[in-house]
């Protein structure tokens, strides 16, 4: 899923693989000036974009683990993986009882949820399985019903906000499934995914690892943001923030390499079947994806990675990912509400990137196209929030071009709609822009 590809749907900016692997500000411009990385750009990421998508609650919230799988029922979504434990009969009775008790503690809502209790039960169950696995290959460390439990433990830690333990558990899961070689080189997993004779259980484990790696990237990213905030009063935290950002980038790149190499090889196989030459630029038509990749999963990954790179000043890496994700969604051409509104969110990010880089022609193009989509479903939260962001972006384009009257029209509209939907931060930034352009 997208981390939050839609105000309410993109994790308010991000996509999430799954609750169980566990499981989507704009630049203030002065007239005639190039966009500055200031309140405007920040506003877009934090307020107007849903950077994470959540598989469990089916929202494009824009957290990337959502990347793994957005909707229940998808063949290879992370949500499916993270929740997969296998048939109850595969577990010895004492372990089955622990898992039942842990599930009762974790899956309840409100005050009845007891995540520390869930962790206690799940970790005891895992310890029991690992002990059995030393003598019984059926319960090996990388058996799907074992890695499913590890995924659930990681998800609980993530939900608790214990990012250190979440990162530790995600890493353990990757080592169980991939080993050192697989972690070092994602191409080893590409070769396995492309093997038509690969057993379904092994393919499921690789896809689980993909979702886990995405979540690991998100966890590092979140911990880095936390350390960055602390660096204001604790200067030594800045080094930790930098290290976590590097780790997040590494894992996003690992995920992207696995997906893109698999897709390109699969696409070229299709080309050869049609007696067409191979290409280094596949079409990104959703019909050409391998059967074990879903559009939701791939667009979520691209979206989450793109928003991460953009937030770290690497717009040149973010824009191609956003454009490819848009291609996979066919730019909302199917007229389906979800795809239309998610496409408008992607376009809002592309418009913002154009403003940020000073490519005003591109920013205007994406703003107008995105607004045309967002207007189709004005009651949809994703469309509504992207409408505010795109309207603001269009105002920034006009302001940078010196057309202050037109800029004021856009800023005023963005402020009014933001206030109507209760987005006080967005309304404040739009009001500031309006005052600046007056």
């Amino acid at each position: 899923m997208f981390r939050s590809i839609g105000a309410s749907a993109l994790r308010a900016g991000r996509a999430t693989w799954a609750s169980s692997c566990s499981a989507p500000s704009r630049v203030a411009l002065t007239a005639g000036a190039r966009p500055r990385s200031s309140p405007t750009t920040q506003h877009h990421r934090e307020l107007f974009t849903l950077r994470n998508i959540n598989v469990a609650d089916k929202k494009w919230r824009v957290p990337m683990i959502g990347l793994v799988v957005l909707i229940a029922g998808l063949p290879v979504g992370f949500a499916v993986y993270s929740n997969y434990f296998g048939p109850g009969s595969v577990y010895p009775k004492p372990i089955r009882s622990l898992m039942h008790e842990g599930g009762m503690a974790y899956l309840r809502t409100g005050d009845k949820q007891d995540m520390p209790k869930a962790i206690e039960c799940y970790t005891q169950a895992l310890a029991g399985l690992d002990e059995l696995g030393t003598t019984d290959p059926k319960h090996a460390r990388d058996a799907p019903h074992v890695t499913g439990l590890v995924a659930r433990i990681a998800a609980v830690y993530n939900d608790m906000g214990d990012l250190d333990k979440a990162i530790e558990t995600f890493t353990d899961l990757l080592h169980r499934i991939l080993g050192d070689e697989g972690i070092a080189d994602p191409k080893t997993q590409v070769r396995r995914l492309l093997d038509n004779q690969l057993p379904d259980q092994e393919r499921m484990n690789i896809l689980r690892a993909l979702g886990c790696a995405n979540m690991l990237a998100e966890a590092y990213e979140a911990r880095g943001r936390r350390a960055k905030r602390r660096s204001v009063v604790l200067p030594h935290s800045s080094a930790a923030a930098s290290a976590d950002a590097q780790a997040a980038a590494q894992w996003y790149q690992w995920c992207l390499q696995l997906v893109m190499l698999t897709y390109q090889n699969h696409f070229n196989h299709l080309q050869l079947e049609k007696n067409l030459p191979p290409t280094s630029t596949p079409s990104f038509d959703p019909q050409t994806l391998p059967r074990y990749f879903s559009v939701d999963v791939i667009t979520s990954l691209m979206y989450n990675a793109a928003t991460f790179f953009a937030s770290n000043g690497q717009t040149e890496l973010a824009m191609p990912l956003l454009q490819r994700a848009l291609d996979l969604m066919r730019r909302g051409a199917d007229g389906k509400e979800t795809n239309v509104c998610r496409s408008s969110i992607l376009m809002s990010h592309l418009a913002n990137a154009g403003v940020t880089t000073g490519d005003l022609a591109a920013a205007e193009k994406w703003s107008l196209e995105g607004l045309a989509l967002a207007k189709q479903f004005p009651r949809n939260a994703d469309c509504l929030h992207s409408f505010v962001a795109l309207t603001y972006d269009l105002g920034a384009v006009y302001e940078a071009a010196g057309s202050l009257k037109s800029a004021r029209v856009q800023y005023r509209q963005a402020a009014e709609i933001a206030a109507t939907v209760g987005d006080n931060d967005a309304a404040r930034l739009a009001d500031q822009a309006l005052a600046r352009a007056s």
Side-chain angles (χ1 to χ4, degrees), residues 17-18 21 23 65 67-69 74-82 147 151 173-174 177-178 189 192-194 198-215 254-255 258-259 262 290-294 297-298:
W17 278 82
C21 179
I65 273 237
L67 204 191
V68 185
V69 179
L74 289 181
V76 296
F78 191 68
V80 174
Y81 299 149
S82 58
T147 58
L173 178 54
L174 287 170
I177 297 175
L178 305 176
Q189 307 311 308
R192 295 178 65 200
L193 283 175
L194 292 170
L198 184 70
D200 289 343
Q201 293 294 305
E202 292 186 32
R203 176 169 283 109
M204 183 186 71
N205 243 5
I206 296 173
L207 294 173
R208 176 177 287 151
L210 175 60
C212 176
N214 188 167
M215 287 216 60
W254 189 95
C255 293
L258 173 59
V259 167
T262 301
R291 63 178 176 79
Y292 40 82
F293 284 162
S294 76
V297 168
I298 305 309

Side-chain angles (χ1 to χ4, degrees), residues 18-277:
S19 58
S20 222
C21 179
S22 38
S25 318
R26 302 216 168 246
V27 177
L29 302 177
T30 54
R34 291 175 61 84
R36 294 181 283 108
S37 279
S38 66
T40 310
T41 297
Q42 178 184 4
H43 178 60
H44 188 359
R45 173 178 173 85
E46 297 179 355
L47 304 177
F48 291 152
T49 299
L50 306 170
R51 212 186 142 211
N52 294 306
I53 298 176
N54 191 317
V55 176
D57 60 13
K58 299 183 182 180
K59 290 183 179 179
W60 285 55
R61 87 177 168 172
V62 192
M64 191 126 222
I65 273 237
L67 204 191
V68 185
V69 179
L70 305 177
I71 301 171
L74 289 181
V76 296
F78 191 68
V80 174
Y81 299 149
S82 58
N83 290 310
Y84 174 81
F85 293 138
S89 59
V90 75
Y91 301 99
K93 186 175 180 179
I95 291 175
R96 191 159 63 242
S97 297
L98 283 168
M99 293 177 62
H100 174 74
E101 188 176 357
M104 291 296 291
Y106 176 55
L107 297 176
R108 290 186 175 182
T109 59
D111 295 339
K112 293 183 179 180
Q113 186 180 52
D114 188 346
M115 288 193 280
K117 179 64 175 179
I119 287 293
E120 178 185 349
C121 294
Y122 286 145
T123 53
Q124 287 182 26
L126 179 61
L129 284 173
D130 282 343
E131 183 176 354
L132 288 172
T134 60
T135 57
D136 185 350
K138 183 175 67 174
H139 300 298
R141 286 171 52 81
D142 63 344
H145 67 282
V146 177
T147 58
L149 176 55
V150 179
R152 169 58 65 83
I153 294 171
V156 179
Y157 278 129
N158 203 53
D159 288 350
M160 292 173 67
D162 190 340
L163 296 177
D164 292 343
K165 293 296 292 185
I167 288 171
E168 177 184 319
T169 310
F170 286 138
T171 303
D172 174 44
L173 178 54
L174 287 170
H175 277 285
R176 288 171 180 265
I177 297 175
L178 305 176
D180 292 341
E181 181 183 4
I183 289 176
D185 184 4
K187 292 191 289 294
T188 61
Q189 307 311 308
V190 172
R191 290 190 288 270
R192 295 178 65 200
L193 283 175
L194 292 170
D195 181 1
N196 291 329
Q197 303 304 313
L198 184 70
D200 289 343
Q201 293 294 305
E202 292 186 32
R203 176 169 283 109
M204 183 186 71
N205 243 5
I206 296 173
L207 294 173
R208 176 177 287 151
L210 175 60
C212 176
N214 188 167
M215 287 216 60
L216 181 58
E218 285 204 338
Y220 272 120
E221 182 181 1
R223 193 171 72 174
R225 288 197 302 269
R226 180 184 295 175
K228 190 172 183 179
R229 290 193 297 269
R230 290 174 176 170
S231 66
V232 176
V233 292
L234 300 172
H236 67 277
S237 295
S238 60
S242 178
D244 282 340
Q246 291 177 12
Q250 172 192 334
W251 283 109
Y252 278 130
Q253 290 166 355
W254 189 95
C255 293
L256 290 168
Q257 189 175 4
L258 173 59
V259 167
M260 296 306 295
L261 288 176
T262 301
Y263 173 53
Q264 184 171 338
N265 278 276
H266 175 78
F267 183 85
N268 282 331
H269 178 72
L270 297 178
Q271 289 287 96
L272 293 175
E273 288 182 340
K274 299 175 183 177
N275 294 319
L276 296 173

